[in-house]
Amino acid sequence: MSIRWDALLVAALARELRDRLEGERLRAIHLDRDRRNLLLHFRAGTLVFRLHPQGSGLAWLPPAEPAPGARRLPARLRRVEAPADDRLVVFSFARSRGRGPPVQVVVELRPNQANAFVVEGPHRRIRAALRRSARGGNDLDPGEIYRFPPPSKREGVFEPVALDRWLELLVPVPDSMRARVLMSSIAYSSPLNAAALLGIEAREPSDDPGSDQARPLKRRGSPQERLTHGWRLWTRIRDLEEPRPCVLSIEGRFQPYPYPLHHPQVTLRDSLLDAFAEAERMHGSAPAALLIPADLLAAVERERRLTTRKVRQLKRQLAAAPHPAELRELGNLLLARLRNVPRGARSVELEDFQGHTVHVELDPALEPHENAASYFERASRAERAREGLPGLVAAAEDRAGELHGGLERARQGLAGAEELRALLGGHGAHPRSRRGARETLPYRRYRSSGGLEILVGRSARANDDLTFHHSHPDDVWLHARHAAGAHVVLRWRAKGAPPARDLYEAGVLAAVHSRARTSGSVPVDWTRRKYVRKPRGAAPGAVIPERVQTLFVEPDPQLAERLEAGRASERDGEEPDA
């Protein structure tokens, strides 16, 4: 939806906002630069100006919590005004606390140049701007002085145009040029009202009530009579006498306007704000979605993409998982033909139990019976993968569908910011306000059965942050060997090895948060954090551990869930001493 703003619509809107909002308490001003929106958070509601070149509009929405990037400003609205015959709205505020300078918000509604500024003091110094711009060779950037556009030079700005002057300007002009002369000469005229002000009834409905067609433009009476009729209309709308807010249907677009202007397809409303809301509804838009911070929507979309990618990866793993029976059959064949398997061979041709020749791949570093055991172990892993992966695929698909549904509901105005934050579960959302909590830490917290704290890195960059900025040199550091995954820190500074059970559980977390999570047995290296170093120029998360010891664990997601249930301290916003 894109509204066409003219001086008459802006003047009528400013008067309605003045009558409705003067004296209201303001909470915050939010310049949403990503979406080119201005949000004025009043206690009574939220006024949203959409100022994007591809879609402009206005919405009056219920009160909403300001986004973290909003400028907090406890103040009262003193007045709302619009410069004569211009497309600007100026909100003037008096601060509720302290003796700071008065604040104004200037909204420029010119096509393709829409902008918003927060200015302070009698000189109107710019404190914030929706986007960078310039006028008359002067930059309108923060720190500069805001200067209003030059005043209108059209006739009728300060005093009404007399009928004689109206006719003098327009009667001698050919019909084809009359609208252009009107709009260049007469204040408050525009393409939206030119036909009505020239005494031309825009379009008349067809005689057939069931037809959507309208009769062509129709002129009645002499040019002077039509122009006299238009002048009477102009004198009324110029002073905003008895406005009749409505939505005009113009070439398939729905336009809020303060007067019907003889348009055949008109929807009358009680106020201009109601007309804006009705136009949004007719266009199928959802203004309530404007209250959801852009970074929160982006976080949910990012989580949806990652989850969808995870579904594809899990399906590929399931498709690539070998059949356990085939692996066991090869293991049994090796055991039955041990005498025919040479040591150090990379492969061997053996006759199977049905008399067919079978090619068997071998590890030359292993003894023949160890190669057979390796096939049995691979069969067990494949069996567990085939049993566990379908459940993981289904869970990931459900999660992706849940995220997609939440985004669609948000875009339709059926879900708010709180629902999206709950959908994220605290991962990927933007930092909350200081009153609520702190920014998301680079790790997840767990609690071992013995009560020791275990920290698991969230990403490659978070791994570096956890290892080198959120752990003590004497803490125990763990990582799954030869597999990409999370760095894990077990809080243990006493001498000697930590308790075996706590160390094993930390190793399980390292395995579960690695690409070896579907393996049957995962080797996990551990050492003191002080023996972990990062080579210069290494990629995020890439480190070299020294004095390493290894333990073998079986990935157990259920154990990880049980340990996660004990990490309630993560929600209290306090980080333990490193």
Side-chain angles (χ1 to χ4, degrees):
M1 173 180 174
S2 188
I3 297 299
R4 298 170 64 182
W5 298 94
D6 69 359
L8 180 64
L9 175 59
V10 171
L13 175 64
R15 190 170 81 171
E16 182 171 310
L17 292 176
R18 178 197 67 195
D19 295 342
R20 183 165 186 162
L21 295 178
E22 275 192 0
E24 284 290 342
R25 296 180 64 182
L26 181 75
R27 300 176 61 198
I29 302 168
H30 184 200
L31 297 172
D32 184 349
R33 295 179 177 86
D34 293 332
R35 291 184 287 187
R36 297 278 188 90
N37 293 336
L38 165 69
L39 291 82
L40 298 178
H41 289 273
F42 293 95
R43 291 194 178 275
T46 307
L47 188 64
V48 183
F49 283 91
R50 293 192 293 112
L51 303 175
H52 199 282
Q54 297 178 356
S56 61
L58 175 78
W60 174 249
L61 301 172
E65 186 64 26
R71 179 184 293 261
R72 298 281 177 167
L73 181 67
R76 287 191 181 275
L77 181 62
R78 293 177 54 200
R79 62 179 180 275
V80 184
E81 52 194 340
D85 194 31
D86 208 339
R87 285 170 287 191
L88 273 76
V89 181
V90 183
F91 297 84
S92 299
F93 297 95
R95 295 177 185 269
S96 301
R97 304 172 188 168
R99 298 183 178 180
V103 176
Q104 289 184 318
V105 174
V106 183
V107 187
E108 298 184 349
L109 297 168
R110 297 185 172 190
N112 299 320
Q113 300 177 17
N115 207 348
F117 301 89
V118 179
V119 301
E120 284 185 350
H123 300 294
R124 296 193 180 94
R125 189 169 299 278
I126 300 173
R127 294 306 179 195
L130 187 62
R131 65 180 182 88
R132 299 187 62 179
S133 62
R135 184 185 301 122
N138 297 318
D139 291 334
L140 297 176
D141 295 333
E144 303 293 334
I145 300 298
Y146 178 82
R147 294 177 175 83
F148 284 108
S152 172
K153 296 181 179 180
R154 298 195 292 182
E155 296 186 39
V157 173
F158 301 107
E159 294 182 359
V161 176
L163 176 59
D164 292 344
R165 176 58 178 164
W166 181 278
L167 298 176
E168 178 187 345
L169 284 170
L170 300 175
V171 169
V173 179
D175 288 352
S176 61
M177 298 292 293
R178 196 165 283 156
R180 182 179 301 179
V181 172
L182 171 73
M183 290 185 290
S184 64
S185 304
I186 303 298
Y188 297 104
S189 59
S190 75
L192 291 173
N193 57 32
L197 296 181
L198 292 174
I200 304 170
E201 292 184 346
R203 285 186 185 270
E204 291 186 336
S206 168
D207 292 333
D208 180 4
S211 173
D212 293 331
Q213 300 297 320
R215 292 176 178 175
L217 292 172
K218 186 173 182 179
R219 297 167 172 81
R220 291 179 176 173
S222 66
Q224 183 166 334
E225 291 174 338
R226 296 197 305 271
L227 290 173
T228 300
H229 174 77
W231 173 80
R232 292 194 185 99
L233 175 62
W234 178 81
T235 57
R236 184 164 63 89
I237 68 175
R238 173 194 176 273
D239 295 328
L240 294 176
E241 293 181 6
E242 299 179 356
R244 299 179 65 198
C246 62
V247 180
L248 308 177
S249 179
I250 305 174
E251 298 177 352
R253 299 168 60 138
F254 302 104
Q255 171 70 41
Y257 212 64
Y259 294 94
L261 299 178
H262 307 301
H263 279 267
Q265 298 181 6
V266 174
T267 304
L268 294 176
R269 307 302 295 174
D270 293 334
S271 68
L272 263 181
L273 292 180
D274 288 345
F276 275 97
E278 180 67 13
E280 294 274 7
R281 187 192 65 78
M282 291 177 170
H283 278 283
S285 304
L290 300 174
L291 297 178
I292 301 176
D295 57 349
L296 179 58
L297 284 171
V300 179
E301 175 61 29
R302 182 170 59 251
E303 182 77 5
R304 185 198 64 80
R305 289 198 305 269
L306 291 173
T307 307
T308 302
R309 186 186 310 167
K310 180 180 179 181
V311 170
R312 293 196 296 267
Q313 292 173 344
L314 290 171
K315 286 183 175 179
R316 284 197 296 267
Q317 291 179 24
L318 182 59
H323 200 285
E326 295 176 355
L327 294 173
R328 285 197 177 90
E329 186 174 347
L330 291 175
N332 289 326
L333 183 61
L334 284 173
L335 289 178
R337 305 283 191 266
L338 281 178
R339 294 181 180 181
N340 301 328
V341 180
R343 289 183 174 84
R346 295 184 179 275
S347 64
V348 67
E349 303 286 337
L350 299 174
E351 182 180 342
D352 67 7
F353 304 113
Q354 287 78 36
H356 304 116
T357 300
V358 176
H359 181 82
V360 183
E361 296 290 337
L362 301 173
D363 184 346
L366 300 179
E367 294 290 327
H369 70 279
E370 291 176 333
N371 271 297
S374 175
Y375 271 102
F376 291 135
E377 182 180 352
R378 288 166 58 189
S380 297
R381 290 202 303 267
E383 194 169 52
R384 285 193 293 271
R386 285 178 170 269
E387 291 176 356
L389 282 174
L392 295 176
V393 170
E397 287 179 332
D398 290 345
R399 174 66 172 160
E402 185 182 40
L403 292 165
H404 177 76
L407 282 171
E408 288 302 309
R409 290 195 303 277
R411 289 165 181 156
Q412 295 170 14
L414 303 177
E418 290 306 317
E419 180 176 337
L420 291 187
R421 291 192 182 98
L423 190 61
L424 281 176
H427 303 298
H430 58 72
R432 290 169 285 180
S433 64
R434 293 179 182 177
R435 182 182 296 180
R438 40 84 184 126
E439 295 185 6
T440 302
L441 293 170
Y443 53 79
R444 299 179 178 90
R445 280 197 181 114
Y446 296 82
R447 186 73 62 181
S448 72
S449 301
L452 300 183
E453 189 174 43
I454 306 173
L455 309 180
V456 179
R458 295 179 181 272
S459 64
R461 293 188 182 278
N463 282 340
D464 286 344
D465 201 10
L466 166 61
T467 298
F468 299 106
H469 300 289
H470 293 269
S471 63
H472 190 276
D474 288 329
D475 284 339
V476 173
W477 180 93
L478 304 94
H479 189 274
R481 182 193 289 181
H482 304 317
H487 292 191
V488 175
V489 170
L490 174 64
R491 299 287 194 192
W492 176 261
R493 302 177 194 174
K495 293 182 179 181
R501 182 177 181 181
D502 302 81
L503 182 63
Y504 181 85
E505 290 174 344
V508 170
L509 291 176
V512 168
H513 291 89
S514 76
R515 291 188 178 177
R517 64 180 67 90
T518 58
S519 301
S521 178
V522 178
V524 175
D525 293 336
W526 68 275
T527 185
R528 296 283 185 173
R529 202 278 294 162
K530 60 187 175 184
Y531 300 130
V532 179
R533 61 184 179 88
K534 186 173 184 65
R536 181 176 299 178
V543 297
I544 297 178
E546 299 173 346
R547 305 190 186 186
V548 169
Q549 300 183 60
T550 304
L551 70 153
F552 289 83
V553 302
E554 182 176 344
D556 184 355
Q558 294 182 351
L559 174 63
E561 292 178 3
R562 291 197 299 272
L563 299 181
E564 186 177 20
R567 62 185 183 105
S569 60
E570 182 176 356
R571 300 183 181 89
D572 63 11
E574 297 180 0
E575 183 180 356
D577 297 332

